[in-house]
Amino acid sequence: MDEIEMKPVPDCTECEGCDTGGCGGCNSHKVMGWRREPRGKLYATNWLGDISTVADFPAVQVQFKNTRAGFYLNSSKLNLEIGDVVSVEAANGHDIGQVTMVGPLVRMQMVKAKLDPDNLDELKKVFRKARQSDLDRFNEARSKEHSTMIRSRAIAEELGLNMKIGDVEYQGDGSKAIFYYIADERVDFRKLIRILAEEFKVRIEMKQIGARQETGRIGGIGPCGRPLCCSSWMTHFVSVGTGAARMQDLSMNPQKLAGQCAKLKCCLNFEIDAYAEAVKQLPSKDEVLQTKDGDYFLFKTDILTRTLTYSTDRRTAANLTVIPASRAFEIIALNKQGIKVDRLGEEAEGKPQMREYIDLTDQDALTRFDKAKKKKKHKQNQHGDNASAQQENRKPEQAGQVKPEQRQDGGKKSGNQRRQKRQQRNKENKTSSKETNDAKES
């Protein structure tokens, strides 16, 4: 959560259900200036809000910094809404968090998290809605997080520990600090904990996270131009394999398939189900199409366009022919009846269509921009040569010179005709001017 500041409103009557006696300590309505959505993490839409209330289920979900969240029992039956800042029970003291889910949705999420929604006695409790004193203490503790992280990294480096401290989170009352770290192997940080406790005078808790969790906590912008899914809305990480890339016929380029966490992108799993359903509507890879010229084997499949490329050789690309899936099913049905078609394509004539070879590895070449500039300059020079040639061809005509091949009787006749037309126009102009003068005199 970001730093929170309460701003009083001029009229307390706008704040319905205020249980603190004044807007100075009220945080139960949207008119408060500090109320805003979190960064998108775990912020769920209450699609049961119109038909249910917080009283329908006594537990609520509370979010803390970035990915940390938990379920708490609303034993005091407070009128909580999504976005309310509350003080909740902690191991030793209290913590400050923001309500992200209320009502029957909490029961569904508890089942998803493998918690028993009927046994709520084990849950920690919600004390109250956060007061101004709680928020001041909370903001004071959060202001120390960055400096604490920098100092703890230096201490870990002095001890020679092979670990990276990626983030520090203080508890709402400032009595505890959680250090999130990444390590490739097991680390003995018992000495580190003693030094950190003496340095910062707080209780220390170490939590190991993976590369994806670290990226989700830090955030960033993905290659699609949008905030990272792990830092904006994803709550659980599902394993991603290279089979998802093969199913979608993507280039097996590690630089393009890996995200900012150096792992395979989570978005590879987003459309895998749609591709799996589409593959079921295509012929099997083992189907061999029989024609009078020979047998054809499947070479490549384009799932989105529902087209298949067949080759006369099982291992190499030879005589490639592209046909739609409907045509492939038609040929398979005819082959089962013992009929061999004349050709794969539906056209009466025509050679097999060959697809142009594209070198995907050349896309990352550093000289790909230089080629475009050279082509552009070449086109400009060619355009300039054509323009100069056209200008040279027009020079004799513009100077009034007549080419030798134009000095014929036909050219003289065309010149005489022009002169006759000019004389006739002059006569017409003179007669029209005389008529106007006569009309004026009369």
Side-chain angles (χ1 to χ4, degrees), residues 60-102:
V60 296
Q61 186 185 48
V62 180
Q63 172 194 345
F64 302 95
K65 185 177 180 181
N66 291 342
T67 57
R68 189 168 70 93
F71 299 99
Y72 291 85
L73 179 62
N74 184 11
S75 57
S76 302
K77 297 182 180 180
L78 300 174
N79 186 18
L80 300 178
E81 296 180 1
I82 295 177
D84 287 342
V85 179
V86 292
S87 175
V88 299
E89 182 182 0
N92 292 315
H94 70 274
D95 203 351
I96 302 297
Q98 192 171 21
V99 178
T100 55
M101 191 175 296
V102 297

Side-chain angles (χ1 to χ4, degrees), residues 7-15 22-24 31-33:
K7 298 179 181 179
V9 291
D11 189 3
C12 184
T13 57
E14 297 180 7
C15 210
C23 284
V31 296
M32 304 313 300

Side-chain angles (χ1 to χ4, degrees), residues 115-318:
L115 298 175
D116 187 7
D118 297 327
N119 187 13
L120 302 178
D121 296 335
E122 298 179 357
L123 297 180
K124 296 179 180 180
K125 299 180 181 180
V126 177
F127 289 150
R128 59 184 178 274
K129 293 182 180 179
R131 301 169 182 169
Q132 185 63 45
S133 58
D134 298 330
L135 296 177
D136 293 340
R137 195 172 180 181
F138 168 80
N139 292 330
E140 182 182 357
R142 286 295 168 91
S143 62
K144 304 176 184 177
E145 291 179 351
H146 184 70
S147 59
T148 303
M149 180 184 65
I150 300 300
R151 177 57 183 159
S152 61
R153 286 181 178 179
I155 296 174
E157 186 177 358
E158 292 175 359
L159 296 177
L161 299 178
N162 187 16
M163 60 183 297
K164 175 188 175 184
I165 299 177
D167 194 9
V168 177
E169 180 182 0
Y170 270 91
Q171 194 170 280
D173 55 359
S175 62
K176 178 183 175 182
I178 304 175
F179 292 79
Y180 297 92
Y181 71 95
I182 299 175
D184 296 333
E185 54 188 14
R186 188 176 181 86
V187 180
D188 185 7
F189 45 75
R190 288 176 293 182
K191 186 176 181 180
L192 175 65
I193 292 177
R194 291 195 297 268
I195 296 175
L196 293 178
E198 295 175 359
E199 181 82 15
F200 303 112
K201 308 300 181 183
V202 293
R203 291 181 294 108
I204 305 298
E205 180 181 351
M206 306 295 293
K207 280 190 177 182
Q208 185 175 3
I209 59 176
R212 292 183 176 179
Q213 286 80 4
E214 183 196 23
T215 305
R217 298 185 69 83
I218 296 175
I221 303 297
C224 58
R226 298 174 61 88
L228 297 177
C229 297
C230 56
S231 64
S232 59
W233 62 270
M234 287 185 67
T235 58
H236 302 284
F237 296 99
V238 182
S239 61
V240 185
T242 56
R246 292 190 181 94
M247 176 70 72
Q248 301 175 53
D249 198 16
L250 298 176
S251 174
M252 302 303 293
N253 188 349
Q255 295 180 355
K256 294 186 177 180
L257 296 181
Q260 295 188 6
C261 57
K263 305 291 183 180
L264 292 177
K265 295 178 181 177
C266 297
C267 56
L268 292 176
N269 283 343
F270 293 168
E271 298 179 357
I272 188 64
D273 295 336
Y275 276 86
E277 291 294 331
V279 169
K280 294 179 182 179
Q281 302 177 3
L282 297 176
S284 175
K285 297 181 179 180
D286 300 331
E287 293 288 349
V288 180
L289 305 186
Q290 300 176 357
T291 64
K292 295 180 179 180
D293 297 334
D295 296 342
Y296 284 83
F297 307 93
L298 182 63
F299 180 75
K300 185 180 178 182
T301 302
D302 193 340
I303 301 175
L304 297 180
T305 60
R306 290 179 55 80
T307 57
L308 301 97
T309 305
Y310 283 89
S311 171
T312 55
D313 195 334
R314 188 185 295 272
R315 297 181 180 179
T316 61

